[in-house]
Amino acid sequence: MASEVLTWQSKLVQPESRAPAGFRSLVTPVYRGSTTLFESAAATRDTWKQDTTPYSYGLYGTPTSLELAARIAELEGGHHTFLTPGGQAAISLVNFALLKPGDHVLTPDAIYGPHRQFGDGMLHKFGVEVEYYDPLIGTGIEHLVRSNTKLIWCESPGSVTMEVQDLPAIVKVANSQGITVAIDNTYSAGVLLDAFAHGAHVTIQALTKYIGGHSDLLLGSVTVKDAERYELLGEAHQALGMAVSPDDCSLALRGMQTLAVRLEKLGASCLQVAKWLEARPEISQVLHPAIPSSPGHSIWARDFKGSASVFSIVFDERFTKEQILRFIDTLSIFKIGYSWGGVTSLAVPYFDIRRAHRDYGHRLVRLNIGLESVDDLLGDLAAALSTLDG
Ligand SMILES: *Cc1c(COP(=O)(O)O)cnc(C)c1O
C-alpha cells in the first residue's frame, strides 16, 4: 500500500520488490553493513558483546566476519576470536589491550620486525618498557621477570631467523607470576602448533598468510582462551575501531576450506627444497625447524605437528653482498617480495638483521615455497647458485 504513494526516488532506496526467499548455497554470503537494524526503539543497543546483542553495528561484526571469527576460534580451540585489519593490527591490539604505562613486557629478539618497531616506538612512547630476550631462553625467562612484567610475547619459530621457542617452559614461569603469554602463531596457521594446549593465553595470526593463502588479502586475528581476556580485548577492539572488510573475510573463509591440503603440500615441498639446499656447498646453514641443525629443532619435534613453507638460508662467508643480491636477481620462478603463505615462491634478502646471540651478517636470504613443482624450483635455485662462483 505504502509503495503506491512513494515517489520513484524513494522506491530506489526503499523498494518493495525482492528476490524470492529460500536460496541456499554452501557459501557464507558477503554481508555488507555499517548500520544494523533493530526491531524497535527499545531494542537499540550499542555494544560489541555478541553474547547479549549479536548485531548492533557493522564495526562489531556482520554474519560474514563473525562466521570467520567463530571458525578461527574453533580451529585454534579458543574461547573467542577478534578480527583485525591485518596481523600487525592484531599485534597492536594485544599490546594496547593488556599494557599500561609503567608495565614491562618481554618480547623475543626474533619477533616480527614491525612488532619490534611497535615496541620501540609506540609502547616506549606510552611508557611501557620492552625488553628483548633470547628466543631460546626457555625456563631462563624466570630471571628476566619483574614485579611489573605483565606480558610475555612468543613467536615460534621466530621471524626470519626461525628459532623454535619452549612455549610450555615460558608458560610455566608466567603462570606462577600471573603473567599473560601471547604468541604470534602465524607460522603454524593456528594448527601446526596447538598454542592453547601448550598453555598460551592469547594467540594472534596474520590471516594474510596461510588462512588467506593467495596473497590477495590482509587480515589478522586475536584469539583468547578465557572470558577475562575476552573483556579486555573486546573493549580495546572497539576503542581502536578495528574494522574489517566483509569481502576479505569472505576470501579468508574460502581460503580456510583448502588450508589442510595447501599446508601439507607446501610443508612437504618446502622441506624437500630445504634439504636440497642444506647439501649445497654454497650454503652454510639452513634455518628450518625440521632441519636438525636449526635452532630449537628438538622443541619443534616435541611440540609441532608439522612445518610450513617459509625458511631462511645462510650463505657461506666467502660470498659478498653483491653476489648474494645477484643470486636473488638471477632467480626467475622465485619472485622477489615480502610476506609468505601464498601459492608463489618468493625470495627476499635480510641483511644486517639484529639478533643478540647470532650474527648472520649480509648472508641471510628468506625463501617462501609455493605450489610450483619442486623440480622447477630446484632447477631455478641451481641456476642461480651457479652464478655465485663464476
Ligand atoms: C606477516 C606477519 C605479520 C603481519 O601481518 P600483516 O597482515 O602483514 O599485517 C605478523 N606476524 C608475523 C609473524 C608475520 O609473518
Side-chain angles (χ1 to χ4, degrees), residues 86-88 91 112 155 159 184 186 206 208-209 218-219 340:
Q88 178 67 6
I91 290 164
Y112 176 63
E155 186 189 329
S159 278
D184 186 333
T186 302
T208 307
K209 308 282 166 49
L218 288 153
L219 273 178
W340 40 274

Side-chain angles (χ1 to χ4, degrees), residues 196-215:
F196 289 125
H198 287 88
H201 307 109
V202 178
T203 66
I204 77 109
Q205 264 198 78
L207 303 180
T208 307
K209 308 282 166 49
Y210 292 118
I211 301 289
H214 296 77
S215 313

Side-chain angles (χ1 to χ4, degrees), residues 71 101 144 157 164 173 192 239 273 285 311 323 341 365 369 372 376:
R71 290 200 198 179
L144 301 180
V164 181
V173 173
L192 297 179
V273 174
Q285 202 179 355
F311 71 109
Q323 282 176 301
V365 173
I369 302 304
E372 303 92 344
D376 289 343

Side-chain angles (χ1 to χ4, degrees), residues 99-289:
L99 297 168
K100 62 176 188 319
D103 285 347
H104 174 244
V105 50
L106 287 165
T107 302
D109 197 27
I111 200 80
Y112 176 63
H115 188 163
R116 195 181 181 115
Q117 285 164 16
F118 182 87
D120 295 343
M122 207 63 92
L123 288 181
H124 179 73
K125 187 171 97 178
F126 287 114
V128 173
E129 191 182 343
V130 185
E131 182 175 348
Y132 296 97
Y133 68 88
D134 181 350
L136 301 175
I137 198 167
T139 43
I141 195 113
E142 66 188 345
H143 303 298
L144 301 180
V145 166
R146 303 183 196 165
S147 58
N148 60 340
T149 307
K150 289 289 153 51
L151 176 62
I152 300 176
W153 273 101
C154 294
E155 186 189 329
S156 182
S159 278
V160 186
T161 45
M162 307 301 289
E163 299 87 345
V164 181
Q165 294 199 256
D166 192 342
L167 177 63
I170 291 171
V171 164
K172 199 167 168 213
V173 173
N175 281 344
S176 72
Q177 317 264 343
I179 300 167
T180 297
V181 175
I183 181 167
D184 186 333
N185 210 21
T186 302
Y187 176 89
S188 287
V191 291
L192 297 179
L193 173 71
D194 186 343
F196 289 125
H198 287 88
H201 307 109
V202 178
T203 66
I204 77 109
Q205 264 198 78
L207 303 180
T208 307
K209 308 282 166 49
Y210 292 118
I211 301 289
H214 296 77
S215 313
D216 55 3
L217 65 87
L218 288 153
L219 273 178
S221 64
V222 175
T223 304
V224 292
K225 192 180 186 174
D226 55 53
E228 184 195 332
R229 291 174 184 98
Y230 165 74
E231 295 284 331
L232 283 170
L233 266 301
E235 277 164 22
H237 187 264
Q238 177 183 32
L240 294 168
M242 295 266 178
V244 296
S245 152
D247 294 287
D248 289 346
C249 291
S250 164
L251 286 173
L253 282 165
R254 178 155 85 169
M256 250 182 123
Q257 295 173 322
T258 57
L259 177 66
V261 284
R262 282 187 290 109
L263 261 187
E264 194 181 330
K265 172 71 181 159
L266 292 171
S269 296
C270 180
L271 190 53
Q272 215 181 323
V273 174
K275 284 181 174 163
W276 184 88
L277 282 162
E278 194 192 15
R280 293 287 307 206
E282 299 90 344
I283 305 299
S284 72
Q285 202 179 355
V286 174
L287 304 171
H288 180 301

